[in-house]
Amino acid sequence: MERVSNEEVQMKGSMADYLKVVTPHLHPELVSPEAMYYLQGLAQVLPPFSQAMLEFRLGVGQPEVDLSVFFHRRTLQLPDKFLTHFVWQSLEQFCREWVEPTSLLYRRVRYIGLEFDLHELPCKVPIPCVFLAWNQETVINNQSLIEIALRLLNYSVSSKLESNLRLCVESLPKGAKVEHLGAMLSRPCQPLRVIMSDIPLKRVADYLIQIGWVDPTSKFFDLLSSLENFGDILRLLSFDIGNTIHPRIGLEFFPKKSSLDESQWQLFLNYLIEIGLCSPGKKNALLTWPGLSQKADHLELWPKELTGGELLLGSRAFSIFWRTINHIKIVYQPGSPLEAKGYVMFGHQWVYANPLTTGC
């Protein structure tokens, strides 16, 4: 079945219209009523995005949930109230440049992610952390990458931060690359988050030492040793930088693309249960998340805003919401307990009913 770009079919409404379709599949083990209330409150003030991700803490007694949304190259149609804040003003301008074929961003930025922390009801203008994903088919030299990253931060950047970023990029082992850069604009100190891909587990410690990361406890090396059996599914290494390399480290695990069943998630989640980072209930809740939803099965929940697309596409395409587990992250910070987080994706998609159909 061929997919139709959501950008071809313009949507109105809010992110809450999309969230309500997948809410029945959010197990209470993952989201407490209070966390769900905060999540729905944020979704009501956001415009709809065709792809989104929910972030859960997997430990016992950790009911928080965060929301991220993603979009490919396009301008943003934001509520007027959002444009009263300089972060959204800057993001809108960034997107206007992104869609220009002659711009530095056009071929280099593949998609943008907006991450919202949810610890209370959002204000009328929620402030996101902004992530850029690079187009891996385009060769990006280090200087271009650094220039784009510094623009993303929206504030005066110290020479120390710039030199730290350059060191992090230029110290990458052969075959590794910068996967994402994030401006953590809703966090204290607003650091820059760097997310590196394809660093083998056995090279992680050497790389961090080379860029000046310090662990007074030396327990990180024990963690790496304990993860040796899962090193082949470690895909991303993340950390924050400012005038220093921040101590908090994220190790992000993804299943192999060749895996067609839940066995890898089962084994990894069982390991997290053994070391006290995941509850059995949350493991089971995560594993029941993946699936598809169609309008015929959820008529009362289906967003009314999709009616226009249905009328436009007619019998040529139908509408689905998909759900999948994206990755699991172990968070290490010297002197603090280990933490594990689960990340699940959901999204709306138009799919051609006849694979021979061309265009809309």
Side-chain angles (χ1 to χ4, degrees):
M1 294 184 294
E2 189 176 352
R3 294 184 175 184
V4 183
S5 168
N6 273 7
E7 279 70 24
E8 297 179 48
V9 185
Q10 295 298 317
M11 305 299 167
K12 297 182 179 180
S14 75
M15 198 65 206
D17 299 314
Y18 287 10
L19 180 66
K20 68 182 179 181
V21 178
V22 302
T23 296
H25 304 279
L26 281 176
H27 196 282
E29 283 279 353
L30 292 175
V31 188
S32 68
E34 182 180 32
M36 179 60 76
Y37 181 62
Y38 295 159
L39 177 60
Q40 291 172 333
L42 171 63
Q44 286 172 2
V45 301
L46 290 179
F49 292 86
S50 60
Q51 294 187 43
M53 183 164 66
L54 297 171
E55 172 187 336
F56 309 103
R57 283 71 173 169
L58 297 182
V60 176
Q62 296 179 302
E64 297 89 354
V65 59
D66 295 330
L67 174 70
S68 297
V69 295
F70 304 91
F71 60 99
H72 289 81
R73 189 191 303 122
R74 64 181 173 93
T75 56
L76 283 178
Q77 311 226 340
L78 297 169
D80 290 342
K81 61 184 178 183
F82 279 35
L83 295 176
T84 62
H85 197 285
F86 80 93
V87 168
W88 289 105
Q89 293 170 4
S90 299
L91 181 60
E92 184 191 44
Q93 180 58 43
F94 195 93
C95 291
R96 289 186 184 280
E97 182 177 344
W98 186 24
V99 300
E100 289 296 329
T102 58
S103 74
L104 177 68
L105 306 178
Y106 185 83
R107 290 178 54 81
R108 288 165 172 77
V109 178
R110 183 159 53 103
Y111 65 83
I112 292 177
L114 307 177
E115 178 183 329
F116 299 89
D117 299 326
L118 278 171
H119 306 297
E120 56 186 15
L121 273 177
C123 60
K124 291 183 179 180
V125 182
I127 304 305
C129 299
V130 182
F131 287 83
L132 303 183
W134 306 114
N135 185 351
Q136 301 301 335
E137 297 176 358
T138 302
V139 177
I140 306 173
N141 63 47
N142 291 344
Q143 185 58 37
S144 294
L145 185 149
I146 289 167
E147 288 176 7
I148 295 172
L150 299 181
R151 284 183 49 199
L152 183 66
L153 287 169
N154 292 306
Y155 57 81
S156 178
V157 174
S158 69
S159 59
K160 186 62 177 173
L161 186 153
E162 185 173 353
S163 65
N164 280 335
L165 176 58
R166 193 175 299 277
L167 175 64
C168 291
V169 173
E170 295 178 350
S171 300
L172 283 170
K174 185 177 180 179
K177 55 184 177 290
V178 179
E179 188 83 10
H180 308 283
L181 286 175
M184 311 305 285
L185 301 174
S186 66
R187 307 280 176 89
C189 303
Q190 298 185 329
L192 179 71
R193 177 158 298 177
V194 291
I195 304 177
M196 312 301 197
S197 65
D198 300 323
I199 302 180
L201 185 68
K202 62 183 179 181
R203 301 289 303 276
V204 167
D206 290 340
Y207 170 72
L208 289 173
I209 291 171
Q210 187 175 352
I211 64 173
W213 180 75
V214 177
D215 178 12
T217 70
S218 298
K219 291 183 178 180
F220 186 66
F221 305 103
D222 297 333
L223 172 63
L224 294 179
S225 296
S226 73
L227 290 166
E228 286 181 357
N229 290 336
F230 301 99
D232 59 344
I233 63 170
L234 173 66
R235 183 175 155 205
L236 301 179
L237 169 73
S238 62
F239 52 89
D240 294 344
I241 64 173
N243 290 335
T244 62
I245 307 297
H246 292 212
R248 187 179 177 91
I249 301 293
L251 300 170
E252 303 187 19
F253 296 83
F254 293 72
K256 293 180 182 177
K257 291 183 179 179
S258 59
S259 177
L260 298 177
D261 55 37
E262 298 176 346
S263 60
Q264 286 190 335
W265 288 131
Q266 290 267 15
L267 290 171
F268 194 59
L269 289 167
N270 286 342
Y271 163 76
L272 295 180
I273 290 172
E274 288 175 11
I275 63 175
L277 298 186
C278 180
S279 71
K282 288 189 175 181
K283 168 198 164 183
N284 294 332
L286 272 183
L287 293 178
T288 60
W289 167 261
L292 293 174
S293 299
Q294 297 188 52
K295 182 176 181 178
D297 302 321
H298 301 275
L299 283 174
E300 72 286 359
L301 299 176
W302 216 252
K304 294 181 175 60
E305 291 74 17
L306 296 177
T307 302
E310 293 167 352
L311 293 173
L312 173 65
L313 296 171
S315 61
R316 291 175 294 169
F318 61 94
S319 188
I320 62 169
F321 280 84
W322 49 266
R323 307 181 306 278
T324 186
I325 302 173
N326 195 63
H327 68 283
I328 291 172
K329 179 162 72 173
I330 294 179
V331 179
Y332 176 86
Q333 183 163 346
S336 299
L338 283 175
E339 184 179 31
K341 298 180 178 181
Y343 295 78
V344 302
M345 296 282 293
F346 71 92
H348 172 262
Q349 187 64 57
W350 297 96
V351 181
Y352 284 125
N354 184 346
L356 299 180
T357 301
T358 58
C360 290

